[in-house]
Amino acid sequence: MSGLEDVVACDSSICRIAVEDGRGILEYRGYDIHDLAKNSSYEEVAYLLLFGDLPSKRELEKFKEELAMQRSLPAQIIGLLTHLPPFTHPMVVLRTATSYLGSMDKYIHYKSHEMSIEKSISLIAKFPTVVAYFHRIRSGQNLVHPREDLDHAANFLYMLHGEEPTETMAKCLDLDMILHAEHELNASTFAARIAASTLADIYASIVAATGTLLGPLHGGASQKVMEMLREIAVPWRAESYVREKLEKGERIMGFGHRVYRRVMDPRTLELKSLAKRLAEERNPKWYEISEAVEEAVYKYKGLLPNVDFYSASVYATLGIPDDLYVNIFAIGRISGWCAHVIEQYENNRLIRPRANYIGPERRGYIPFDERP
Ligand code: ACO
């Protein structure tokens, strides 16, 4: 009951997660995550999540074109990004910009399937631009505008770094975004569905989700993982670091999962091999420390890494600043959030659970001047 563990809160046809035969299972609309990771692209997965089926070649081309055309930000949003204090956490920026985008949508309260899909495509397209623009503004660099000829992941790296990524870098981020696109009723998606269940607009639902994702027990963990890897600095220091933290009763970020208990998160398997590939090609440092931490946490606590653990070393190797890690998660997860909001609208009943009251028993009111 605590933390709603194992409580089933709704029916959904978007994502299945399970533990079967000692293995973690993750499927988007019936497709195994390993098949999607091997064969698809982020755009294809976003289409699958929004529309329920894999696109035909023509449908995918059209969807990619729509995404590419929607990447630009209105001048007011760019103004907002320049006015926010540069120390604002980029995830706070993203949720503020989402709210502002809502205020600029004349049809904000329209919830037909077609309108919700249109708004979703716009949000999926604009999230990377908001993140890249804010990062360049806060670091005093010129804006690099989106390019329609680049795929979703490649375009984000291009806008962030100001140069076209290598094929490997773009492929790595694309895969990372596929792995982060959806994960059933995790805390941020549940927050989005609760907001949608009141028939609040889609922007309000996504603001609720972005706010919830930032917490270090959820998407904020990968930034904390990187802080830990930097503190450890060399692989041989990992074991004593982990032991001391656990002896003090502290948590090791990037380990443990509510659903994949004692089995490997299937996304971690993919991310670990991605991190290894990047390490071999670019820089082995963060991967080697990560592996040493993984061994030590398993030795002293029997816990396995979750999706946030190896994503930290992947992002560091891609040259992404630490405080953008959770934004990268959001850039991937936005398609899953939108799919859930649409599903909630289409078969809605207000989500309103009960609390088990444990406060004082009924007591008489004491007038103010009779109190000590
Ligand atoms: N480090 C050390 N101990 C841990 C960790 C950890 N990362 N995670 C769980 N434990 C321990 C707890 O201390 C507890 O031990 P005890 O029984 O000896 O007291 C036991 O494992 C169960 O922990 P719970 O908190 O009940 O597990 P819960 O399912 O509530 O929490 C969570 C899941 C939040 C992910 C937890 O494992 C955690 O805090 N991990 C670190 C943060 C993190 O990596 N978050 C990202 C999750 S993935 C995602 O959101 C995308």
Side-chain angles (χ1 to χ4, degrees):
M1 161 84 168
S2 160
L4 298 182
E5 182 165 355
D6 292 332
V7 171
V8 174
C10 66
D11 289 339
S12 176
S13 59
I14 301 170
C15 175
R16 188 172 85 91
I17 58 180
V19 176
E20 288 171 0
D21 304 327
R23 259 183 358 114
I25 305 287
L26 170 58
E27 293 165 359
Y28 298 167
R29 305 269 190 196
Y31 293 98
D32 189 88
I33 193 64
H34 299 298
D35 285 339
L36 292 171
K38 198 162 150 222
N39 300 305
S40 72
S41 65
Y42 180 72
E43 286 94 324
E44 194 180 4
V45 163
Y47 184 100
L48 172 68
L49 292 171
L50 287 183
F51 294 94
D53 282 308
L54 287 174
S56 65
K57 280 188 191 143
R58 237 185 75 74
E59 285 165 338
L60 182 60
E61 275 319 301
K62 188 164 166 273
F63 185 65
K64 285 171 84 167
E65 263 171 37
E66 282 176 42
L67 280 174
M69 272 160 38
Q70 297 269 347
R71 284 176 182 154
S72 303
L73 297 179
Q76 293 93 324
I77 299 288
I78 301 175
L80 169 78
L81 301 180
T82 51
H83 281 101
L84 286 169
F87 56 78
T88 312
H89 192 287
M91 197 61 188
V92 176
V93 172
L94 189 60
R95 74 171 189 236
T96 308
T98 304
S99 193
Y100 199 170
L101 282 167
S103 79
M104 297 177 69
D105 182 350
K106 271 197 226 152
Y107 304 104
I108 181 171
H109 299 299
Y110 286 47
K111 296 185 188 70
S112 69
H113 184 79
E114 293 68 28
M115 290 293 265
S116 297
I117 292 278
E118 212 175 278
K119 292 173 200 302
S120 300
I121 292 175
S122 168
L123 285 167
I124 296 169
K126 290 181 174 61
F127 260 36
T129 320
V130 170
V131 175
Y133 274 17
F134 179 69
H135 176 65
R136 291 190 72 87
I137 289 167
R138 73 174 176 175
S139 45
Q141 301 177 81
N142 291 338
L143 294 186
V144 177
H145 300 301
R147 270 186 30 200
E148 290 188 11
D149 60 320
L150 292 175
D151 286 344
H152 201 65
N155 176 63
F156 171 69
L157 288 172
Y158 166 70
M159 291 189 297
L160 187 72
H161 296 313
E163 58 185 47
E164 255 188 65
T166 64
E167 213 181 310
T168 311
M169 286 170 80
K171 189 80 209 93
C172 285
L173 186 65
D174 184 73
L175 178 53
D176 176 86
M177 286 163 53
I178 292 172
L179 298 171
H180 280 89
E182 165 57 12
H183 211 233
E184 198 223 49
L185 274 202
N186 56 87
S188 55
T189 304
F190 191 40
R193 284 193 83 126
I194 292 172
S197 85
T198 70
L199 297 183
D201 60 89
I202 193 167
Y203 302 92
S205 306
I206 302 304
V207 167
T210 46
T212 308
L213 185 68
L214 180 55
L217 294 189
H218 192 8
S222 52
Q223 183 179 343
K224 301 278 175 208
V225 169
M226 202 59 223
E227 285 168 16
M228 169 175 74
L229 299 182
R230 290 191 198 288
E231 212 179 316
I232 295 173
V234 280
W236 57 262
R237 229 184 261 144
E239 182 165 346
S240 57
Y241 176 96
V242 166
R243 198 181 53 234
E244 281 163 28
K245 287 269 174 199
L246 291 174
E247 278 168 4
K248 283 194 250 161
E250 289 179 30
R251 286 185 179 224
I252 311 293
M253 289 294 136
F255 286 84
H257 195 277
R258 178 63 67 78
V259 181
Y260 305 120
R261 285 202 191 275
R262 279 175 241 295
V263 296
M264 190 63 100
D265 182 331
R267 300 166 298 175
T268 306
L269 293 170
E270 295 288 345
L271 273 166
K272 186 172 177 183
S273 62
L274 183 63
K276 190 168 180 214
R277 211 164 83 210
L278 267 180
E280 282 161 3
E281 278 184 30
R282 296 177 72 85
N283 176 3
K285 179 175 173 178
W286 303 121
Y287 180 78
E288 285 170 4
I289 302 172
S290 303
E291 260 202 322
V293 172
E294 181 184 347
E295 269 172 38
V297 176
Y298 192 73
K299 178 173 169 188
Y300 291 108
K301 193 80 189 175
L303 285 173
L304 294 165
N306 57 48
V307 68
D308 277 335
F309 186 64
Y310 278 100
S311 49
S313 55
V314 167
Y315 298 157
T317 314
L318 288 177
I320 294 170
D322 295 11
D323 65 354
L324 292 191
Y325 289 7
V326 62
N327 290 68
I328 308 295
F329 192 145
I331 288 174
R333 184 58 58 85
I334 177 69
S335 51
W337 287 335
C338 290
H340 277 273
V341 170
I342 294 171
E343 189 178 63
Q344 185 66 41
Y345 285 156
E346 288 177 358
N347 190 14
N348 189 53
R349 184 151 190 243
L350 178 74
I351 298 173
R352 203 295 186 197
R354 296 295 311 276
N356 174 38
Y357 179 69
I358 55 163
E361 284 184 21
R362 178 180 297 168
R363 44 191 169 163
Y365 178 80
I366 306 165
F368 187 66
D369 44 11
E370 287 173 28
R371 275 177 248 160

